[in-house]
């Protein structure tokens, strides 16, 4: 069960945004990721709880940030309920999308589990509902993902297979690279892996 810490920063000016302390693990029904977020001051700012089925579909998502809460799952596309800080007003949403995304590295791993790409360089289009900080506002985004290369790197615990993806935002054409090993993000815009207590899990 990988356990560690990511640092999250603004990808443009590198302003520190948060630290995300996480643990994750594959199981008989899929994969689960749980994390707690803290501000640079050390104050808690939110949490992520994401569970995928064996096909990579989100069977449960629970996000907390800024007093807001989102619960969602794959149902007729993706469906969610967003609750305001007072708990008195809840709004439901549904979009014909494949999955969810957001600032947490969990969503990058989840997208790769859903797409199951091979190192061909050919791109696959995916529609996602993005929950943006700090109020978890939903926004539908279209991306294309391509697995450019898969390389094995020698480590003290044996070879570590690293996948390099190219992700393109289809509304702007902006591209960026994402490096993932198993169920851990090694590098991505705005994300740095600061600490990892055990090796990434490998998927069958």
């Amino acid at each position: 069960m990988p356990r560690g810490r990511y640092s999250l920063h603004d990808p443009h000016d590198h302003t520190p945004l948060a630290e995300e302390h996480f643990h994750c693990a594959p199981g008989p029904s899929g994969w689960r990721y749980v994390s707690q977020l803290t501000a640079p001051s050390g104050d808690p700012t939110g949490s992520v709880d994401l569970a995928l089925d064996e096909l990579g579909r989100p069977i449960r998502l629970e996000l907390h940030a800024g007093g807001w809460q989102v619960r969602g799952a794959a149902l007729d596309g993706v469906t969610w309920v967003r609750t305001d800080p007072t708990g008195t007003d809840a709004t439901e949403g549904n979009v014909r999308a494949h999955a969810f995304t957001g600032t947490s590295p969990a969503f990058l791993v989840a997208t790769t589990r859903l797409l199951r790409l091979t190192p061909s360089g050919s791109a696959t289009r995916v529609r996602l509902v993005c929950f943006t900080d700090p109020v978890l506002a939903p926004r539908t985004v279209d991306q294309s993902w391509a697995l450019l290369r898969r390389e094995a790197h020698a480590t003290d615990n044996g070879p570590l297979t690293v996948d390099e993806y190219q992700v393109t935002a289809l509304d702007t054409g902006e591209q960026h690279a994402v490096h993932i090993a198993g169920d851990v993000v090694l590098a991505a815009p705005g994300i740095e892996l600061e600490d990892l207590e055990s090796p990434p899990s490998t998927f069958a």
Side-chain angles (χ1 to χ4, degrees):
M1 177 187 293
R3 183 184 300 270
R5 175 173 54 89
Y6 293 109
S7 64
L8 308 182
H9 57 266
D10 187 299
H12 302 291
D13 62 13
H14 300 286
T15 301
L17 300 177
E19 288 197 338
E20 186 161 340
H21 298 260
F22 73 95
H23 60 273
C24 55
S29 60
W31 181 72
R32 187 177 181 201
Y33 177 101
V34 176
S35 69
Q36 300 290 326
L37 288 100
T38 56
S41 63
D43 295 330
T45 59
S47 63
V48 178
D49 189 341
L50 174 65
L52 309 179
D53 67 10
E54 66 276 6
L55 298 177
R57 297 172 300 195
I59 55 175
R60 188 182 72 255
L61 170 67
E62 185 169 330
L63 300 176
H64 294 266
W68 294 83
Q69 175 184 287
V70 166
R71 294 176 183 264
L75 182 66
D76 296 326
V78 293
T79 299
W80 68 91
V81 176
R82 177 173 172 266
T83 307
D84 71 309
T86 65
T88 59
D89 186 24
T91 56
E92 296 185 10
N94 173 262
V95 172
R96 288 288 181 181
H98 299 94
F100 300 109
T101 191
T103 55
S104 173
F107 295 112
L108 298 177
V109 176
T111 302
T112 66
R113 297 307 304 149
L114 181 71
L115 298 180
R116 308 289 175 98
L117 300 177
T118 56
S120 63
S122 60
T124 298
R125 180 173 177 150
V126 62
R127 172 163 287 183
L128 305 168
V129 172
C130 178
F131 294 106
T132 57
D133 292 334
V135 296
L136 302 179
R139 182 170 62 94
T140 303
V141 298
D142 292 303
Q143 299 176 342
S144 74
W145 282 64
L147 177 51
L148 300 184
R149 60 186 60 87
R150 175 172 287 158
E151 298 179 345
H153 299 265
T155 72
D156 294 340
N157 297 310
L160 180 69
T161 300
V162 178
D163 290 339
E164 179 185 347
Y165 294 89
Q166 180 175 277
V167 182
T168 304
L170 295 181
D171 57 345
T172 64
E174 182 180 1
Q175 294 183 332
H176 60 266
V178 174
H179 295 81
I180 293 178
D183 56 357
V184 173
V185 176
L186 302 181
I191 298 169
E192 290 187 21
L193 179 63
E194 300 288 354
D195 181 50
L196 186 63
E197 296 179 11
S198 55
S201 301
T202 56
F203 294 102

